Amino acid sequence: MTDVLSVLELALRPQREGGVPFPAAVLDGLVRGTGAAGGALGRGTDVLARSGAVHGPPRRHELPTGREAFWLELEDGAEPSESLRVAAGVVLSTWAAREELKQARFAERRRLWEVESLRAIAEALGGTLEPARIVEELLMHVAALLDARRGEVWLIGGGGAQPGPRFSGAEQTGVCETGECVMAARVGGAVLTPEEVLSLPEQGLLEPERLAVPVVGRRGRLAVLALAEREVRGGTAPFGHTDAETLCLYASQAAVALENATLHREALDQERLERELELAATIQRQLLPTSIPTPPGFDIAAKSEPSRRVGGDVYDFIETPQGLFLMLGDVAGKGVPAALMAASLQAAVRILVQRSPELSELTSLLHQHILASTPESKFATVFMAYLRSNGELEWVSAGHNPVVLVSPGGTCEFLKAVGPPLGLLPDALYPSQKAVLEPGSVLLAYTDGLSEAPGAGDDGPDFGLEGITSLAVAGHSEPMEDLVARLFAAVAAHTGGAPPHDDRTVLAARRNLG
C-alpha cells in the first residue's frame, strides 16, 4: 500500500518549472515499487519517460484509465499489483487532463494576445499612409510579439517585373540588383539575402532559426516580412507553425495598409498630373494668337481643339515686311510630348520670322532645328505662307495635307506638299511656291484630325478631303469664323460625337470682294 500511496501523492505535489517531468516521477515510483532494473512509460505510440537500462524484451502492463490507456514496460522486478497500476493510471490521467487544460488556456491567452496585437497594429498601420512608416510599425510589432532578435521588411514593386519603389526612409544596404526589391526596415541584423527575397515561395520560409512570409495584396506581392532567432529564457528556441500563422495574420494587415498607401500615392500623383496638364493646356492656349492681325480686305479665322488636354497642332499669324505670315503645323504624336515639340516649333518660327527671311530659307532653318533638337521618330508637317495685301500668296508645304484654295466661282485648287515633313529626311529641300487669292477666293488649311476623322460605327469612312472641300465651296462666301465653326460641327456629326482621335485645327482666309 505504501507504493500505491507514494504514487498517488505525486498528484498532490506542485509542478515546478525546470523540475523532474511528471511522467518520469511516476515511472521512478513504479520502478522502485517493483524493484525493476529499468522501464518505460508511455501512451499510444508516444514514450513519455524512460528509466534505467532495458536489455531484454520488456513486459508491458496496461495502466487503467477512463481515456486512452497509459502503458508501462519493466525490465525484471516484480509484477506491479493491480492497485499500483490503477493508482498510476489515475495520477497520469489527472496529469494529462491538467496538461491539456494548461495548453488550452495558453492557446486561449495567445489567441487573445494575437487579437489585441492585431488590433493595435491595425490602428498603427491605419494611422499613416507613408510606406516607410508602415513597415517600421509592422516590424516593431511582430518582432516584439514573436520575441525575434532580428527582423526586416523588404518592399517589392507591386508583384510585377517593374523596378521596385524606393521609399523615403528605406535603407539602401539591401537592394536587389534588378531593382525589384528594397530593404525598407531592419532591426538587429540581416535575415534574408535579396536573392532569397525574390525566390521566396508562396508558403513562405519556416526554419528553426528563420521565419519569412510574403505580404500579398490584390495586385500581387507587395513585401516580404522576415524574422530570425526567437529569444526565450536562457537562449533561443525554434520557430513553429503557430509562429508562421501569426506572422501571416500580420502580413494580411500590412497588405491592406500598403495597398491603401499605394492608392493614396497614385491619387496624389493623378491629382498632380491633372494640375500639370491643366497648366500645360492653359500655357498652350496662351501661346496661340489671341487676335489675328488681319490685313485690310481680308477675313481670317482659326480654331484648334486638342484630342487630349494638350496637343501637337499649332498655328500662328505674324506681321512682317513681306506680308502677313501664316503657319499651320501638325507634330507627330499626341499629348504632352507633341505639345512640347509644337511649342518649340512655334518659338523657333517666331524668332526666325523676325528677320523676314525668304520662305524656303525659313523652312530649311526650321527643318534643321527639328533635326537637331528632337528624336529621330519625331517630325512635323507644316504649311507656311506670306499673304500680301494684293492677294499674292507665297507658300511652302512640308509634308502637310493638301490646302484647299477655292476660287470666286467655286472651283478648287490644291496646294500640295513640296517636300517631306520637317525633321524627317536630313537633305530635304523646300522650294517656295506662289498662288493668288482673287477677290472672293478662300484659302482653307487643316490638320489630319479633320480629314481622317472616322465615321460613326466600326467601318464608317473618314470625313476625308471631299468633305472638307464641299464645305469650303458651299461656305466660301460666308464669314470665315462661321465656315470654321460649320466645319468642326460637320466633323463632330460625322463621328457621332465621339471624342477626337487626333488634334483638330483649321486656318481659313478669304479675300473680300470689292
Side-chain angles (χ1 to χ4, degrees):
M1 184 61 68
T2 303
D3 296 333
V4 173
L5 289 176
S6 64
V7 170
L8 291 174
E9 286 176 353
L10 292 174
L12 302 177
R13 295 179 187 176
Q15 298 295 312
R16 293 180 181 149
E17 188 175 350
V20 177
F22 188 79
V26 174
L27 178 60
D28 287 343
L30 294 172
V31 169
R32 286 195 307 270
T34 58
L41 180 66
R43 182 171 61 173
T45 58
D46 297 329
V47 177
L48 303 178
R50 290 186 184 276
S51 176
V54 178
H55 301 288
R59 303 188 310 275
R60 175 168 288 200
H61 308 278
E62 295 294 328
L63 303 181
T65 178
R67 303 176 63 186
E68 184 179 1
F70 291 86
W71 50 261
L72 171 67
E73 293 179 347
L74 294 174
E75 173 76 8
D76 298 330
E79 289 288 326
S81 65
E82 182 179 357
S83 58
L84 182 60
R85 288 188 290 111
V86 170
V90 169
V91 297
L92 285 171
S93 178
T94 303
W95 164 81
R98 284 201 305 265
E99 287 297 309
E100 291 175 2
L101 181 59
K102 184 190 301 182
Q103 292 296 327
R105 287 175 176 172
F106 176 79
E108 181 182 4
R109 287 196 299 270
R110 182 183 181 89
R111 185 59 59 188
L112 289 174
W113 188 22
E114 289 177 352
V115 171
E116 178 59 26
S117 299
L118 286 172
R119 183 197 63 78
I121 196 172
E123 289 182 356
L125 299 186
T128 179
L129 291 171
E130 289 294 331
R133 180 69 183 277
I134 289 172
V135 296
E136 289 171 0
E137 292 281 354
L138 172 67
L139 186 56
M140 179 183 69
H141 280 79
V142 296
L145 177 65
L146 296 181
D147 299 316
R149 290 178 177 176
R150 291 182 284 135
E152 60 191 15
V153 180
W154 292 76
L155 290 169
I156 299 174
Q162 69 270 25
R166 305 295 177 87
F167 293 110
S168 173
E171 295 185 32
Q172 297 300 309
T173 55
V175 179
C176 300
E177 292 183 0
T178 59
E180 293 178 79
C181 64
V182 57
M183 200 280 295
R186 174 178 286 168
V187 61
V191 179
L192 300 176
T193 65
E195 293 72 23
E196 288 176 316
V197 171
L198 293 180
S199 61
L200 186 71
E202 290 300 319
Q203 66 271 22
L205 169 71
L206 176 57
E207 297 176 350
E209 290 294 314
R210 296 194 303 173
L211 175 61
V213 296
V215 179
V216 182
R218 288 170 295 180
R219 300 183 179 184
R221 187 170 294 190
L222 304 173
V224 168
L225 176 58
L227 300 175
E229 293 185 284
R230 184 184 176 198
E231 190 171 15
V232 296
R233 186 180 301 173
T236 60
F239 289 106
H241 290 284
T242 303
D243 301 315
E245 292 174 359
T246 301
L247 202 60
C248 286
L249 292 175
Y250 274 80
S252 299
Q253 292 286 337
V256 174
L258 286 173
E259 285 196 327
N260 287 340
T262 300
L263 291 173
H264 176 70
R265 186 174 64 251
E266 290 175 354
L268 291 179
D269 290 343
Q270 183 64 32
E271 183 180 345
R272 182 169 57 252
L273 178 61
E274 289 293 327
R275 289 197 303 267
E276 291 174 353
L277 285 175
E278 183 57 38
L279 177 60
T282 301
I283 293 173
Q284 188 174 49
R285 288 193 297 269
Q286 292 173 347
L287 290 175
L288 297 176
T290 56
S291 61
I292 300 175
T294 304
F298 287 88
D299 180 14
I300 300 177
K303 182 179 180 180
S304 182
E305 287 184 354
S307 60
R308 300 180 183 176
R309 301 288 286 277
V310 291
D313 285 2
V314 62
Y315 67 87
D316 214 342
F317 302 92
I318 304 172
E319 290 183 293
T320 74
Q322 295 210 49
L324 179 64
F325 176 79
L326 315 175
M327 179 193 71
L328 176 60
D330 183 0
V331 172
K334 301 178 181 66
V336 173
L340 291 173
M341 184 174 170
S344 174
L345 174 64
Q346 185 180 27
V349 166
R350 290 185 175 181
I351 292 172
L352 294 172
V353 166
Q354 298 303 317
R355 298 190 290 105
S356 298
E358 294 297 326
L359 203 54
S360 57
E361 179 189 0
L362 172 61
T363 310
S364 179
L365 291 172
L366 287 174
H367 176 56
Q368 295 302 320
H369 167 71
I370 293 177
L371 282 173
S373 61
T374 60
E376 293 183 2
S377 59
K378 292 297 182 181
F379 58 88
T381 68
V382 179
F383 174 79
M384 296 182 292
Y386 285 122
L387 178 61
R388 301 185 174 101
S389 58
N390 61 359
E392 183 179 287
L393 184 76
E394 183 182 0
W395 61 274
V396 166
S397 176
H400 201 72
N401 303 305
V403 174
V404 181
L405 182 58
V406 183
S407 70
T411 59
C412 291
E413 178 185 352
F414 300 104
L415 310 184
K416 298 183 179 180
V418 299
L422 302 182
L424 193 60
L425 302 177
D427 299 326
L429 299 176
Y430 301 94
S432 64
Q433 308 293 312
K434 290 187 177 180
V436 177
L437 263 68
E438 301 289 346
S441 298
V442 169
L443 177 76
L444 184 67
Y446 57 92
T447 58
D448 55 13
L450 288 96
S451 58
E452 296 179 3
D458 295 333
D459 55 355
D462 292 349
F463 190 74
L465 178 59
E466 296 80 4
I468 293 174
T469 301
S470 62
L471 273 170
V473 170
H476 77 282
S477 60
E478 63 186 52
M480 291 296 95
E481 189 172 337
D482 293 345
L483 174 60
V484 171
R486 286 209 307 123
L487 180 54
F488 271 87
V491 171
H494 178 77
T495 61
H501 80 292
D502 198 359
D503 306 328
R504 299 173 182 174
T505 304
V506 173
L507 183 155
R510 180 164 66 91
R511 186 179 179 189
N512 297 326
L513 294 170

